Amino acid sequence: MGGVLRVEPLWVETFTGLRMRQFDRLLKVVRERGGNGPGGGRPWCLPLSDRVLLVAVYYRTNLTMRQLAPLFGVSPATLCRVIQRLRPLLAIEPASRPADAVERLWIADGTLIPVRDRKVGASSRNYRFSANVQVVIDADTRLVIAAAMPVPGNTADAKAWRDSGLATDCEGVTVLGDGAYINTGLVVPHRKRPGRALLPGEEDDNAEHRRVRARVEHAFARMKHYKILRDCRQRGSGLHHAVQAIAHMHNLTLAA
């Protein structure tokens, strides 16, 4: 059975949200990370470019294996194996401390992602079974710097941040957070104290803080164009791999 989707500008741009040059950069990264495998054994029924397209389309559309398989002319089992094999290779590059760290401004926040795996998520304030994912973005470029392993959605943002290990990646950089990140080392808004209103200067500081911090919410909104982040059916580390890959594709759309 022949597939419908293939690596052509029309299909790539329609089903992944990437321009062709951006998809080519993603493909190059996967190939350099060993996407073709060590060689030997039975060859894949799809070329590497189609397999990378398959994973990107899966994350973008969140179609089931049975729905997606006919579009590529493979069986659901083969499609599942392709996703399992390639999903770690699409991940964002590990964050490194920038040379001009003192002058940079990053923003940290957590987002709730609905999941099906009871070992990953928990009943959360969005009234769904969700996981909490901590993400850091650059305030100037809006690029994702790093994303942590998911934790149950009922975990407070401050605890999720402390347990994430992202503070090490942000060492030496000023990082903004909302009021939930008190006593974490992040820059948070001024708080009202009992019997004392905020001073005029503090009100202005909070307004500017909100204006800048809104950029991370915009980044979450763009990342959730990939519908797997609206209802993740993947189990185990599947959500983590999906977030890492989507952060990488999000960065490609902004940088290229």
Side-chain angles (χ1 to χ4, degrees):
M1 179 176 62
V4 176
L5 296 186
R6 50 194 176 275
V7 180
E8 296 178 357
L10 174 63
W11 304 117
V12 170
E13 295 177 13
T14 301
F15 283 89
T16 70
L18 299 172
R19 299 294 184 186
M20 198 62 204
R21 66 179 182 278
Q22 297 162 351
F23 179 81
D24 288 340
R25 291 178 61 184
L26 179 65
L27 177 60
K28 179 183 178 183
V29 170
V30 174
R31 183 178 290 112
E32 291 173 348
R33 292 175 178 176
N36 277 321
R42 185 177 178 180
W44 292 95
C45 59
L46 294 174
L48 180 61
S49 57
D50 284 352
R51 283 180 276 141
V52 173
L53 176 63
L54 184 156
V55 180
V57 171
Y58 173 63
Y59 286 155
R60 183 77 174 189
T61 64
N62 203 25
L63 294 173
T64 65
M65 304 293 175
R66 186 168 294 181
Q67 291 169 330
L68 195 56
L71 297 178
F72 286 90
V74 298
S75 68
T78 298
L79 189 144
C80 185
R81 286 194 296 271
V82 169
I83 293 172
Q84 295 284 334
R85 170 71 178 89
L86 289 187
R87 65 186 187 181
L89 305 183
L90 273 68
I92 188 175
E93 291 284 350
S96 58
R97 188 176 185 274
D100 57 344
V102 177
E103 302 174 4
R104 304 298 284 273
L105 178 62
W106 291 354
I107 311 170
D109 201 3
T111 186
L112 292 176
I113 298 175
V115 295
R116 306 287 183 92
D117 189 351
R118 293 305 203 235
K119 296 180 181 179
V120 175
S123 183
S124 311
R125 62 180 181 271
N126 63 348
Y127 304 104
R128 298 188 66 180
F129 212 85
S130 304
N132 181 333
V133 178
Q134 297 290 305
V135 176
V136 180
I137 73 161
D138 188 291
D140 294 325
T141 63
R142 273 76 163 181
L143 297 177
V144 176
I145 304 299
M149 288 286 293
V151 296
N154 58 0
T155 306
D157 279 338
K159 176 173 173 51
W161 173 263
R162 293 190 187 99
D163 296 344
S164 68
L166 293 180
T168 304
D169 298 329
C170 300
E171 187 175 351
V173 183
T174 302
V175 184
L176 297 185
D178 61 22
Y181 291 90
I182 294 175
N183 298 326
T184 60
L186 275 61
V187 178
V188 299
H190 298 289
R191 300 182 67 196
K192 291 183 179 179
R193 302 296 180 182
R196 182 180 74 84
L198 290 177
L199 300 175
E202 294 176 335
E203 290 279 11
D204 294 340
D205 287 347
N206 284 358
E208 181 64 15
H209 187 283
R210 287 192 300 270
R211 186 188 68 80
V212 175
R213 205 194 66 80
R215 297 170 190 175
V216 72
E217 303 294 349
H218 300 160
F220 286 149
R222 287 191 292 268
M223 290 174 68
K224 288 184 180 180
H225 289 165
Y226 291 85
K227 292 184 172 56
I228 195 170
L229 298 188
R230 300 183 186 182
D231 181 19
C232 182
R233 296 186 298 271
Q234 292 278 296
R235 295 186 175 275
S237 60
L239 173 59
H240 178 61
H241 289 309
V243 171
Q244 294 285 317
I246 290 166
H248 188 182
M249 290 187 281
H250 164 81
N251 287 357
L252 287 174
T253 61
L254 293 181

